[in-house]
Amino acid sequence: MTRDLGYIIILAAGSGSRFSTALSKQFMELQGKPIVVRTIEKYLKHFSANKIRVVIAEKHRVIWDKITDFFPHLKPIITAYGGSERFYSVRNALETISCSEKELIGVHDAVRPFVSDEVIQRVYQIAQAQGCCVPIFNSVNTLRLVHSDGNETIDRSSVKEVQNPQVFRNALLRNAYMQPYEKRFHDDATLVENLGYKIYTCNGNYENIKITYPQDLYLAEGLMKWFENKNNEISNIQDYKAIHVH
Ligand SMILES: C[C@](O)(CO)[C@H](O)COP(=O)(O)O
């Protein structure tokens, strides 16, 4: 494992109003493993367990305890309880972290299990230099701005989709979360920007989707297969080289 890049808060307290299943989407399985576990395991490659916080809903305590019985390597991870909005969940998690002002803290939705190792490293590296960083990705769709009296096409190259992790210096993130809650605060960058700070960005990865609707589970299963094939291709090339290239 590489040295800790900082801290990471993984938000797994959502009730999934857009998913409409009895079991919240972050606990549903992807090839036999809960989505939240897959997301945490991405971070365990870069962080020790004591630098990871997982925010769960209080009513999901039993589910979480069952998960950690099944995956004991997650037991050392400290949990915080979620609030009524994402904003309050992050705030609660920040209360469980005590570190220097300059230390980096990232925030990641549990339902984004496909973030790449490169993106995690890149975002933390840029945040180390600039104070914050957020991964973004080009839209593949043409975009239209809708207003009260009509709508118009906008230049899609100037509009980006925002992904996770969103990483900030501890002091900056804490200041941002001292602000009173506003409904338009959908992510951490919006809060930091509201304080007047510039948000630094870098390229995210296309597969880093947010599993939001039931159909996304099928997309996620497909992506798992895509990764398997990709890895098989790489090991086939390595086997080929080992045999044929001298
Ligand atoms: C943080 C986020 O994933 C960036 O795209 C997004 O804003 C989260 O939105 P949600 O409505 O809380 O799922």
Side-chain angles (χ1 to χ4, degrees), residues 18 86 109 112 162-164 166 186-187 210:
R18 292 167 289 195
R86 185 183 198 280
D109 297 324
R112 286 189 187 267
V162 179
Q163 303 183 340
N164 297 158
Q166 304 199 353
H186 291 298
D187 70 351
K210 180 154 70 71

